[in-house]
Structures are given as C-alpha cells and as structure tokens.
Amino acid sequence: MEAHVKKSLEEWKTEICELLHGIDKEYEEVKRELQVYSYKFSITKQVVQSTVNDEIIRNIRELYHKPFEQRFNQLKEEIRDLEEKKKVFQMFVDKIDKVKEKEEVKPYTSAQ
C-alpha cells in the first residue's frame, strides 16, 4: 500500500475512533440515567399497585409514573440508537484495518 493511502486511512481511522470514544461516553451517561429512571419507574409502579385510593393513584401517575415511563422509554430508544452508531462506526474501523492488513500481506504473498 502506498504511503499516502496508508497515512490517509490512519488519519480517517483516528477520526472515527474519536467519534467512537464520544459515542461510548454518551452511551455511558445515558446508561447511568436509564438505570436511575428504571428504578424510579419501577418503584412508582409498585407504589401505584399497592395504593387503594384512586385520587392518590391518579396524582402519583400524573406526577411521577407517566413522566418516569416516558423518560425511561426515551432513554431506552437512545441506548438502541447509540448501540447502532457504535456498531456502524466500529465497522469502519474494522474495514480500514482489514484493508490495511490485506495490503500489507499482499507483497509477501506475491513475492513467493
């Protein structure tokens, strides 16, 4: 592989790895928030199930349960999107490595 091509691929790989690092960081933040809302949603659901008073149930659902459920579902969707992004950008890194590896092996196999 020519030096300028190899250099360009390395620069591109570095750029993609930086994007991956940012995605990983965002993923961890969303994952932590998802854990919090998972507990909040679950606790609220349990409290509602254990409560008899309809007015209190309505208030709990309006104040906590519905907003927690919405945020929980939103965070789950964000996690799925981030996982997809991670897969896609990791494919770039893998493909770049594969191309470089193939090109590095080529001269040795053709010389024999």
Side-chain angles (χ1 to χ4, degrees):
M1 176 178 297
E2 295 180 31
H4 71 282
V5 174
K6 188 174 183 175
K7 182 178 182 236
S8 179
L9 288 175
E10 277 300 319
E11 290 170 353
W12 191 26
K13 180 181 172 183
T14 300
E15 180 183 323
I16 291 170
C17 285
E18 288 171 7
L19 286 171
L20 267 171
H21 178 71
I23 292 167
D24 284 338
K25 189 175 176 181
E26 184 179 355
Y27 179 88
E28 289 304 317
E29 291 170 9
V30 172
K31 184 178 167 186
R32 280 194 298 274
E33 189 176 356
L34 179 61
Q35 288 173 329
V36 168
Y37 276 91
S38 175
Y39 281 105
K40 286 181 174 184
F41 177 57
S42 177
I43 291 168
T44 306
K45 187 176 184 179
Q46 291 170 16
V47 168
V48 165
Q49 290 173 346
S50 301
T51 303
V52 179
N53 185 310
D54 287 340
E55 186 179 337
I56 293 173
I57 290 172
R58 258 192 315 280
N59 287 338
I60 291 171
R61 282 192 173 135
E62 190 175 311
L63 289 172
Y64 302 110
H65 188 73
K66 287 179 185 177
F68 290 165
E69 182 179 25
Q70 288 172 345
R71 185 65 181 145
F72 175 75
N73 289 329
Q74 180 185 13
L75 290 166
K76 283 192 331 188
E77 186 63 34
E78 285 180 40
I79 285 286
R80 281 192 288 272
D81 290 346
L82 289 167
E83 286 172 344
E84 182 66 20
K85 281 183 183 179
K86 283 169 64 169
K87 276 194 269 185
V88 169
F89 285 104
Q90 187 59 52
M91 277 193 285
F92 275 109
V93 171
D94 295 344
K95 297 289 183 186
I96 291 169
D97 286 343
K98 193 172 186 175
V99 166
K100 285 177 23 191
E101 191 177 283
K102 258 187 200 176
E103 290 299 317
E104 288 172 0
V105 171
K106 233 183 214 180
Y108 300 116
T109 56
S110 62
Q112 291 177 344

